[in-house]
Amino acid sequence: MFVDRVDIYCKAGDGGDGCASFRREAHVPRGGPNGGDGGKGGDVIVLADENVSSLGNIIGHKHWNAERGGHGSSSLKTGKCGEDAIIMVPPGTLVIDSKRGNLLRDMKQSGDRVVVAKGGKGGRGNRHFATATHQTPREFEKGGVGELRDISLELKLIADVGLVGKPNAGKSTLLSRLSKAHPEIAAYPFTTKYPNLGLVRVGFDHQFVMADIPGLIEGAHAGVGLGHEFLRHVERTRVLVHLVEPSPMDQTDPIQNYRQIREEMRLYDASLMDRPEIIVVTKSELPDAEPVAELLGEELGRPVMQISSATGSNLDKLVRMIIDELEELEVEA
């Protein structure tokens, strides 16, 4: 199950108490204090791992509690430190303090980590309170209290290429043809309910991650049709491939559909307008594909590619264009 937002409660472990004890041995009448310190409480840590694809692994685990530290004991024995509670999330996850609303960490790369709740400090044993004038201290410290924090985990997929367009434009079919991903495909709108990722390999020296973003509709920037849930995944893509269906099932104008999607992205985040975009008319086997591609090309002042996922027409050419765009971005960087 794909999950891209989870609210959880985190409680770090309390520190162990220090010990008040005295050395007791034969022929050592005044052994002095030998109480050990308490162990530190465990932290609650969020860790990004590339082997995790969504937040579905923690959807049923709302409370994360780290282990408390062990108490100190006699003979200067320090208590055991508490085990950390580690929350594994996919790269691209935002860690947000739910109450304050501030961003704690943007987990961009695998291996990124952040301590969201710090364990309590272990208390000191009575040996720390011995002085020249106070040689038999019975004082000791209680362990510190572990932090409490409510956090929100919000996933924004990180992909090299994002497929955008109206529902039923052929995004899932294209992803299935270019990668080994197996998204749900059907001849009705809104089949794709959550983003799908696929790895596209080209020869031995090129590969890129492609994301199939669910179809966007009018008002998506305002949250209509779960627009915010889908649009936020577009933010982390480096290149956009905009798919235009030549003969929409709802009889709408394909040129107007293209303009509408661009406007929704602009209203959501104006910086998306500067993202490299490859415009593609899908289902080139249909008679309306060529006229639509020509009209769209005239309006934009540049050629518009036609592809067919059903026949495989021009798919190699599309992959080559994507690789060229990605290489150009790397050079600029």
Side-chain angles (χ1 to χ4, degrees):
M1 178 175 61
F2 182 89
V3 178
D4 57 5
R5 186 180 180 87
V6 176
D7 295 320
I8 60 176
Y9 166 86
C10 300
K11 170 67 172 73
D14 296 335
D17 297 339
C19 174
S21 71
F22 296 89
R23 185 179 173 188
R24 294 288 187 267
E25 292 182 30
H27 313 297
V28 185
R30 295 181 178 85
N34 70 343
D37 301 337
K40 176 186 174 298
D43 300 329
V44 181
I45 300 171
V46 179
L47 174 65
D49 187 343
E50 61 185 1
N51 297 312
V52 180
S53 59
S54 85
L55 301 175
N57 61 314
I58 59 175
I59 187 65
H61 194 166
K62 294 291 187 181
H63 292 77
W64 291 80
N65 300 311
E67 186 180 27
R68 72 161 299 147
H71 299 313
S73 58
S74 59
S75 301
L76 301 178
K77 294 177 182 177
T78 300
K80 174 180 174 291
C81 291
E83 293 286 338
D84 297 332
I86 301 179
I87 307 170
M88 310 292 284
V89 300
T93 301
L94 302 180
V95 183
I96 302 168
D97 187 309
S98 299
K99 292 185 177 178
R100 298 182 180 179
N102 60 303
L103 178 66
L104 300 177
R105 183 71 185 271
D106 185 353
M107 317 288 279
K108 293 183 178 180
Q109 298 179 353
S110 182
D112 286 352
R113 55 186 283 153
V114 59
V115 177
V116 296
K118 193 171 182 60
K121 184 179 178 182
R124 294 182 297 170
N126 66 336
R127 68 188 177 97
H128 291 279
F129 298 92
T131 65
T133 58
H134 185 41
Q135 297 183 4
T136 57
R138 286 170 173 77
E139 299 93 337
F140 67 93
E141 280 184 342
K142 291 282 189 179
V145 178
E147 290 183 338
L148 300 169
R149 178 172 274 167
D150 293 320
I151 65 170
S152 295
L153 301 176
E154 182 178 306
L155 174 61
K156 294 183 179 181
L157 289 179
I158 296 178
D160 298 306
V161 181
L163 303 177
V164 298
K166 297 282 281 187
N168 218 47
K171 301 182 293 296
S172 297
T173 305
L174 178 60
L175 180 67
S176 68
R177 286 298 304 266
L178 297 182
S179 71
K180 292 185 178 181
H182 300 286
E184 184 181 356
I185 299 172
Y188 54 85
F190 307 109
T191 308
T192 304
K193 300 178 180 65
Y194 50 82
N196 293 293
L197 286 178
L199 180 64
V200 181
R201 298 182 184 273
V202 186
F204 296 100
D205 54 349
H206 289 104
Q207 67 179 32
F208 55 85
V209 176
M210 178 177 282
D212 162 24
I213 310 298
L216 301 174
I217 61 175
E218 186 175 2
H221 73 280
V224 176
L226 296 179
H228 284 173
E229 304 298 317
F230 300 155
L231 276 167
R232 72 163 175 260
H233 294 293
V234 181
E235 293 181 58
R236 297 295 183 92
T237 58
R238 300 167 62 197
V239 175
L240 298 176
V241 176
H242 197 142
L243 304 186
V244 180
E245 185 182 11
S247 302
M249 295 177 64
D250 57 3
Q251 306 300 315
T252 53
D253 179 16
I255 309 299
Q256 180 59 29
N257 288 344
Y258 169 78
R259 297 193 196 106
Q260 187 182 93
I261 296 297
R262 291 287 292 177
E263 180 65 9
E264 292 299 327
M265 291 193 296
R266 185 190 69 79
L267 292 172
Y268 177 77
D269 184 353
S271 67
L272 293 175
M273 296 297 96
D274 300 326
R275 203 71 52 88
E277 180 190 47
I278 300 173
I279 306 168
V280 177
V281 173
T282 60
K283 307 176 184 179
S284 63
E285 70 276 7
L286 300 179
D288 292 337
E290 187 168 350
V292 169
E294 291 178 356
L295 288 172
L296 196 53
E298 290 176 4
E299 178 171 320
L300 300 175
R302 55 184 169 127
V304 174
M305 181 185 297
Q306 300 177 56
I307 67 167
S308 172
S309 297
T311 66
S313 175
N314 283 338
L315 294 187
D316 291 342
K317 184 178 178 182
L318 173 61
V319 170
R320 186 71 256 171
M321 288 184 65
I322 292 172
I323 291 174
D324 290 343
E325 288 285 358
L326 292 173
E327 289 180 343
E328 186 175 339
L329 287 175
E330 290 178 2
V331 170
E332 292 176 359

